[in-house]
Amino acid sequence: MKRPRTSFVAGLLATGACAASSTPVQAADPLPSWNEGAAKAAIVRFVERTTRSGSPDFVLPAERIAVFDNDGTLWAEQPMYVQLLFMLDRVKTLAPQHPEWKTQEPFASILKGDVRAALAGGEHALVELGMATHAGMTTGEFERTVGEWIATAKHPVTGRPYTEMVYQPMLELLAYLRTNGFKTFIVSGGGIEFMRPWSERVYGVPPEQVIGSSINTKFELRDGKPVLVRLPEISFFDDGPGKPVGIQMHIGRRPIAAFGNSDGDLQMFQWTAAGPRPSFCLYVHHTDADREWAYDRTSSIGRLDKGLDEAKARGWTVVDMKTDWKHVFPFELK
Amino acid sequence: MKRPRTSFVAGLLATGACAASSTPVQAADPLPSWNEGAAKAAIVRFVERTTRSGSPDFVLPAERIAVFDNDGTLWAEQPMYVQLLFMLDRVKTLAPQHPEWKTQEPFASILKGDVRAALAGGEHALVELGMATHAGMTTGEFERTVGEWIATAKHPVTGRPYTEMVYQPMLELLAYLRTNGFKTFIVSGGGIEFMRPWSERVYGVPPEQVIGSSINTKFELRDGKPVLVRLPEISFFDDGPGKPVGIQMHIGRRPIAAFGNSDGDLQMFQWTAAGPRPSFCLYVHHTDADREWAYDRTSSIGRLDKGLDEAKARGWTVVDMKTDWKHVFPFELK
């Protein structure tokens, strides 16, 4: 997504006009933003063979568990993870209460506007940032903070609210699966409490079906009123080999369908594919530098390298965003 | 439940006959095993005012979260927690592979049949027992072990399978709430993976709605096959102040109804009652030494002391098992 804003918008309008002319066909198609092709056909074939009564691959509704990565799978993760952008904004907002941040990294660099220098501290810098912005308040206070931020913050490239930077084809896929009796879960490396305040409204996924990374909380009575205080201690990291662990912890049964976009989803796919029932794994491959971004094997965000090889070896579905998706974002349809 | 087996069975038959004669009335009543009284009236009143369209206290279906403790609330916890009885059986089964247990506590005492001596080691002994019987295998292996045990093990007093030692009035309450759009969760101090293999069949609560204590697991590829290995490390203790923490971790929204029987449920009740919506908290008070057991303030299992005081002070519902429950166990109805 490197085009200047004006041609980007013009492109969207052109796409939107095209979409409007084909409305009647779309009405009957549960996946109207998917071009006809191998990916769409594979999705429909899997859903039909696992849900059609009498099919040898029929799966009981209770066992139709579908898990979705979030960053890069349901919404855009470029030029930075949204939650990192949230942290940067929070550091600026909270800075007046932390005069020490003027000289303390990674905060000092952020306050000077040098994100690259701030993140040069690697994982340690990220954990510092996370704890300073995610801990030390109650769960209720954090939920309100996220809710207010997500309602007002804008994507640095498109100027759109982040909740509009979601993928229209994936919204259709979520709805299509639910219509066919699947229970849809988010399984993300992102913070569980960062997603819950808006996941139901944006994705139709209720808080109890959101799995993510977390910090510890502690029950306290404050003036007789019970609160849960967010502590500066990482409880669970829901990425890579953590994803099957998170799935077992929260769901307690193995998914039959898994959707992701990076090597961080590989173990979730392996776990899904190793079950006794038919299974379906799908990688979203970011190949569209015009409408979105193009990145895979060497990207520091959402690297897809081992996963791409294993997908090819095992016949998992790989979505070529550029050719498989008629539209990328919902605002293209307006 | 101290009566000899024969009079116990005779008592059940008498109760069963009584139940059969009132069948027509029961058909229209969603809570036929509850005697008419304050507890039943309070349950029905709460459900009606939160679900009737146009009621000022109406709660949207998505927010109708109900949480149930398990031990002593949904099934009997006397003369010992069922999971402890599972551990004792497992120690005996695994003993041939552990010759060192002959001299090592708490195992040596268990193998000699002296449970009291084994448990004299307190929490340390319990953790030893838990790790020896719950860790060191894959999640799939543990699930099979629990499934096989629960299908064959018998209650030491009644000789019934443990899954028949559930409370008929609570089964009716679970169903009544679900019929009225509530989502029912178990929130237990017991092991999450100990309950999941049978919770759906016995309570109608699917694995993804079971919250409990847990140990850490680790993803591994064994000969290319992914497994989750159960590690001898406690991950989360879902009791007392841990219950609101577990609720937030797994559900991500506050319940409006909570059901328990001990001080271990008190913080869950406080958390539930402090929400912005109408709420309902109910203690099962074990008052029936004939049909079940009678215990509360001084019991080492399921102590109900502070909770009983707070229930009275705050107007929470307290079920007097002896007078409020027409039947206790489902087998009384047969």
Side-chain angles (χ1 to χ4, degrees):
Chain A
M1 192 176 267
K2 285 167 185 160
R3 295 184 293 176
R5 187 76 187 286
T6 47
S7 84
F8 175 72
V9 171
L12 298 186
L13 289 175
T15 320
C18 167
S21 69
S22 59
T23 300
V25 177
Q26 289 177 11
D29 180 354
L31 300 171
S33 295
W34 292 74
N35 287 316
E36 300 305 325
K40 181 174 181 172
I43 293 168
V44 172
R45 195 165 52 240
F46 176 75
V47 169
E48 289 182 348
R49 76 189 176 99
T50 52
T51 61
R52 203 181 42 232
S53 158
S55 159
D57 291 333
F58 181 81
V59 175
L60 288 171
E63 302 284 353
R64 294 179 200 159
I65 304 289
V67 288
F68 288 79
D69 171 58
N70 184 38
D71 297 306
T73 299
L74 295 179
W75 74 355
E77 61 186 350
Q78 298 284 3
M80 258 183 275
Y81 293 120
V82 178
Q83 195 166 1
L84 180 54
L85 292 156
F86 166 76
M87 290 183 205
L88 302 179
D89 279 358
R90 288 303 293 163
V91 166
K92 289 170 199 158
T93 304
L94 295 170
Q97 299 159 45
H98 294 273
E100 75 279 11
W101 284 357
K102 277 183 195 147
T103 55
Q104 186 186 326
E105 291 298 345
F107 310 102
S109 290
I110 290 170
L111 296 174
K112 285 177 212 142
D114 191 346
V115 175
R116 186 178 296 266
L119 299 183
E123 193 178 314
H124 177 73
L126 272 178
V127 169
E128 283 283 305
L129 269 181
M131 294 304 138
T133 55
H134 285 65
M137 72 289 281
T138 68
T139 51
E141 287 161 357
F142 186 68
E143 183 182 343
R144 276 191 297 281
T145 299
V146 171
E148 285 164 17
W149 183 83
I150 205 91
T152 53
K154 298 287 194 295
H155 190 277
V157 176
T158 65
R160 297 271 177 182
Y162 291 106
T163 50
E164 292 184 16
M165 298 298 294
V166 297
Y167 303 132
Q168 176 64 24
M170 298 305 284
L171 297 181
E172 294 168 4
L173 179 53
L174 282 164
Y176 175 54
L177 289 171
R178 288 193 292 259
T179 299
N180 282 281
F182 283 76
K183 201 162 181 176
T184 53
F185 288 81
I186 291 172
V187 180
S188 168
I192 189 167
E193 300 297 0
F194 181 73
M195 297 179 281
R196 281 170 160 169
W198 47 271
S199 64
E200 188 154 30
R201 177 173 54 83
V202 174
Y203 299 137
V205 177
E208 61 268 29
Q209 286 160 229
V210 176
I211 303 169
S213 297
S214 59
I215 61 178
N216 286 322
T217 64
K218 184 175 180 295
F219 179 86
E220 274 182 20
L221 288 177
R222 287 185 175 172
D223 301 327
K225 188 178 157 16
V227 293
L228 289 169
V229 182
R230 292 172 59 81
L231 305 177
E233 307 162 0
I234 290 175
S235 163
F236 178 63
F237 187 47
D238 190 43
D239 198 34
K243 289 202 174 191
V245 171
I247 287 169
Q248 182 62 27
M249 186 184 353
H250 285 261
I251 309 179
R253 47 183 155 201
R254 199 189 297 252
I256 64 166
F259 304 87
N261 78 300
S262 80
D263 286 354
D265 302 308
L266 181 55
Q267 289 86 352
M268 175 166 81
F269 283 18
Q270 291 169 336
W271 181 244
T272 300
R277 299 181 192 79
S279 64
F280 186 78
C281 297
L282 179 150
Y283 265 128
V284 173
H285 190 188
H286 293 264
T287 54
D288 193 333
D290 289 332
R291 295 184 299 175
E292 208 246 3
W293 284 269
Y295 58 98
D296 48 33
R297 293 186 188 272
T298 59
S299 175
S300 62
I301 293 172
R303 177 172 303 178
L304 178 61
D305 182 32
K306 287 181 192 165
L308 209 49
D309 295 335
E310 193 153 332
K312 281 173 187 165
R314 302 180 60 152
W316 293 338
T317 297
V318 178
V319 168
D320 179 340
M321 192 183 274
K322 191 166 187 161
T323 61
D324 282 320
W325 285 2
K326 197 176 293 175
H327 316 291
V328 176
F329 298 111
F331 51 77
E332 299 171 22
L333 299 171
K334 284 174 186 165
Chain B
M1 193 176 267
K2 286 167 186 157
R3 293 185 294 177
R5 188 74 187 287
T6 47
S7 85
F8 175 73
V9 170
L12 298 185
L13 290 175
T15 320
C18 168
S21 69
S22 60
T23 300
V25 176
Q26 289 178 10
D29 180 355
L31 300 171
S33 296
W34 292 73
N35 287 316
E36 299 306 324
K40 181 173 182 173
I43 293 168
V44 172
R45 194 165 54 240
F46 176 75
V47 169
E48 289 183 349
R49 75 189 177 99
T50 52
T51 61
R52 202 181 45 231
S53 158
S55 160
D57 291 332
F58 180 81
V59 175
L60 288 170
E63 303 282 354
R64 294 180 200 159
I65 304 290
V67 288
F68 288 79
D69 170 57
N70 184 36
D71 297 306
T73 299
L74 295 179
W75 75 355
E77 62 185 350
Q78 299 283 3
M80 258 184 274
Y81 292 120
V82 178
Q83 195 166 0
L84 180 54
L85 291 155
F86 167 76
M87 290 184 207
L88 301 180
D89 279 358
R90 288 303 292 163
V91 166
K92 288 170 200 157
T93 304
L94 295 170
Q97 299 158 45
H98 293 274
E100 74 279 12
W101 285 357
K102 276 182 197 148
T103 55
Q104 187 186 326
E105 291 298 345
F107 310 101
S109 290
I110 291 170
L111 295 175
K112 283 177 215 141
D114 190 347
V115 176
R116 187 180 294 266
L119 299 182
E123 193 179 313
H124 177 72
L126 272 177
V127 169
E128 283 284 304
L129 269 181
M131 294 305 137
T133 54
H134 286 64
M137 73 288 281
T138 68
T139 52
E141 287 160 357
F142 186 68
E143 184 182 342
R144 276 190 297 279
T145 299
V146 171
E148 285 163 17
W149 183 81
I150 204 90
T152 53
K154 299 287 194 294
H155 190 278
V157 176
T158 65
R160 298 269 176 182
Y162 292 105
T163 50
E164 292 185 15
M165 298 297 295
V166 298
Y167 304 131
Q168 175 64 24
M170 298 306 283
L171 297 181
E172 294 168 5
L173 179 53
L174 282 163
Y176 175 54
L177 289 172
R178 288 194 291 259
T179 299
N180 282 280
F182 283 76
K183 200 162 180 175
T184 53
F185 288 81
I186 291 172
V187 180
S188 169
I192 187 167
E193 300 297 0
F194 180 73
M195 297 179 281
R196 280 170 160 168
W198 49 269
S199 64
E200 187 153 30
R201 176 172 55 83
V202 175
Y203 299 137
V205 176
E208 62 267 29
Q209 286 161 227
V210 176
I211 304 168
S213 297
S214 59
I215 62 178
N216 285 323
T217 64
K218 184 175 181 294
F219 179 86
E220 273 182 20
L221 288 177
R222 287 186 176 172
D223 301 325
K225 187 176 157 20
V227 292
L228 289 170
V229 182
R230 292 171 59 81
L231 305 176
E233 306 162 359
I234 291 175
S235 164
F236 178 62
F237 186 46
D238 189 43
D239 197 34
K243 289 203 173 189
V245 170
I247 287 169
Q248 182 62 26
M249 186 186 350
H250 286 261
I251 309 178
R253 47 184 155 199
R254 199 189 298 251
I256 64 165
F259 304 87
N261 78 301
S262 80
D263 286 355
D265 302 309
L266 181 56
Q267 288 87 352
M268 175 166 81
F269 283 18
Q270 291 169 337
W271 181 244
T272 300
R277 299 181 193 79
S279 64
F280 186 77
C281 297
L282 180 150
Y283 266 128
V284 173
H285 189 190
H286 293 265
T287 54
D288 194 333
D290 288 331
R291 296 185 299 176
E292 208 244 2
W293 283 268
Y295 57 100
D296 48 32
R297 293 186 188 272
T298 59
S299 175
S300 63
I301 293 172
R303 177 172 301 178
L304 178 60
D305 181 32
K306 287 180 191 166
L308 208 49
D309 294 336
E310 193 152 332
K312 282 174 186 165
R314 302 180 60 153
W316 292 338
T317 298
V318 178
V319 168
D320 178 340
M321 193 183 273
K322 190 165 187 161
T323 61
D324 282 320
W325 285 3
K326 197 175 294 175
H327 316 290
V328 175
F329 298 111
F331 50 78
E332 299 171 23
L333 299 171
K334 281 174 188 164

